[in-house]
Amino acid sequence: MMPKLNLWGQPLETCSLDPMTGFYRDGLCRTDEHDRGRHVVCALVTEEFLAFSQRQGNDLSTPIPGMFPGLKPGEYWCLCALRWLEAYRAGVAPKIRFAATDEAVLNYVTLEELKPFALDLN
């Protein structure tokens, strides 16, 4: 299996281990054919984004005991590429870590659209 690359073209870095994120709950925003949502964007979630996501039918704030911790503003989480794009279009897209965002996001969003949101732009 080829190593996943980030938006810098380097090996994908960990997004978060606390809370444990990623489609595979391994801390990495990586994807494959099993991940229909394409959880590839390592985002620093905000109150505005969490409220937006809840309005879209995906409550990321409320914990589900034993399954999901519930997110708080200031935590990193692997977001679905299309949810990030929806938030971008609505003006509430969270900042992202390029080093921990899978380059697969470029199938949905351009690098130019992502750059203003980079927390680690070189």
Side-chain angles (χ1 to χ4, degrees):
M1 182 178 192
M2 295 289 294
K4 294 292 183 172
L5 300 179
N6 63 29
L7 288 170
W8 302 127
Q10 299 169 347
L12 190 63
E13 293 182 11
T14 299
C15 180
S16 177
L17 299 176
D18 185 23
M20 186 63 76
T21 191
F23 179 73
Y24 289 101
R25 294 298 192 261
D26 60 0
L28 297 171
C29 298
R30 62 189 180 97
T31 191
D32 62 21
E33 66 278 1
H34 302 289
D35 176 15
R36 293 184 319 155
R38 300 294 185 231
H39 295 78
V40 296
V41 179
C42 181
L44 181 63
V45 297
T46 62
E47 187 67 46
E48 296 80 12
F49 173 77
L50 292 170
F52 171 79
S53 186
Q54 187 170 25
R55 288 191 303 272
Q56 302 307 307
N58 187 16
D59 181 0
L60 295 174
S61 301
T62 304
I64 302 171
M67 295 180 61
F68 177 70
L71 300 177
K72 298 172 197 66
E75 293 181 322
Y76 285 96
W77 194 251
C78 294
L79 300 180
C80 295
L82 292 177
R83 176 67 71 212
W84 189 92
L85 181 58
E86 288 173 349
Y88 169 78
R89 290 177 176 159
V92 295
K95 298 281 188 180
I96 65 172
R97 285 190 53 229
F98 271 36
T101 296
D102 190 316
E103 68 180 354
V105 71
L106 298 175
N107 292 321
Y108 307 93
V109 185
T110 69
L111 193 57
E112 292 309 310
E113 290 170 316
L114 293 169
K115 280 183 180 178
F117 298 89
L119 291 167
D120 53 351
L121 193 59
N122 288 343

